[in-house]
Amino acid sequence: MKEIKLTDSEKDLMEILWAGKKIFMKDILESYPDPKPAATTVATLLKRMQNKDLVGYTMYGNSREYYPKVEKGEYFREEMTSMIDRFFNSSVTQFASFFTSNTQLSQKQLKELRNIIDEQIKE
């Protein structure tokens, strides 16, 4: 999959699409917190995201029902991989070392993280 780059505004819109799966423009607008963006702003974002092949739609008369063409997990994986590549020279070990020593995780959280890793090793 090609690298996905979303602006903050696009990420906000994708969160709405991921939550709704298939959603009409009026429902998208209602999903935004106040102050809500203008419909033209959202339409521009949707068009830009269609051009990036991230959003699709189905026509019903004059209305479009929008849906995400990329899953949230897939997007998150790509973002994490890109961040590890850029900031940690593609080293997961460097990332893990930085993450565990700089995020002030509690002992309980570190143990939970270890349990998650242990479960992955068993599979």
Side-chain angles (χ1 to χ4, degrees):
M1 187 182 130
K2 66 180 180 180
E3 188 173 336
I4 303 169
K5 286 292 179 196
L6 296 176
T7 65
D8 288 342
S9 297
E10 290 170 339
K11 285 178 191 173
D12 292 343
L13 179 51
M14 283 303 290
E15 287 292 344
I16 292 169
L17 292 172
W18 284 322
K21 299 295 182 199
K22 291 188 175 186
I23 187 168
F24 290 96
M25 174 67 90
K26 73 173 189 59
D27 300 316
I28 291 172
L29 292 170
E30 289 174 6
S31 296
Y32 275 99
D34 289 327
K36 297 183 185 305
T40 53
T41 301
V42 175
T44 299
L45 287 172
L46 286 165
K47 181 64 176 164
R48 190 167 48 193
M49 292 164 69
Q50 288 168 45
N51 291 339
K52 292 181 179 183
D53 203 30
L54 300 172
V55 173
Y57 64 87
T58 304
M59 290 295 294
Y60 295 98
N62 291 332
S63 298
R64 293 179 181 183
E65 184 179 46
Y66 294 94
Y67 57 89
K69 292 177 79 174
V70 62
E71 294 296 322
K72 187 174 184 176
E74 182 180 2
Y75 170 74
F76 186 70
R77 263 190 312 281
E78 290 293 323
E79 280 286 295
M80 288 300 300
T81 300
S82 176
M83 183 189 70
I84 290 169
D85 289 348
R86 286 179 305 182
F87 296 111
F88 301 99
N89 299 318
S90 301
S91 171
V92 175
T93 305
Q94 285 181 20
F95 166 73
S97 175
F98 176 85
F99 178 76
T100 56
S101 62
N102 290 291
T103 55
Q104 299 177 345
L105 296 173
S106 69
Q107 287 297 308
K108 181 182 178 201
Q109 290 169 318
L110 287 168
K111 287 176 184 175
E112 289 172 352
L113 185 56
R114 182 176 57 199
N115 289 339
I116 291 169
I117 292 169
D118 287 344
E119 284 298 312
Q120 291 297 311
I121 292 171
K122 290 178 186 175
E123 293 179 3

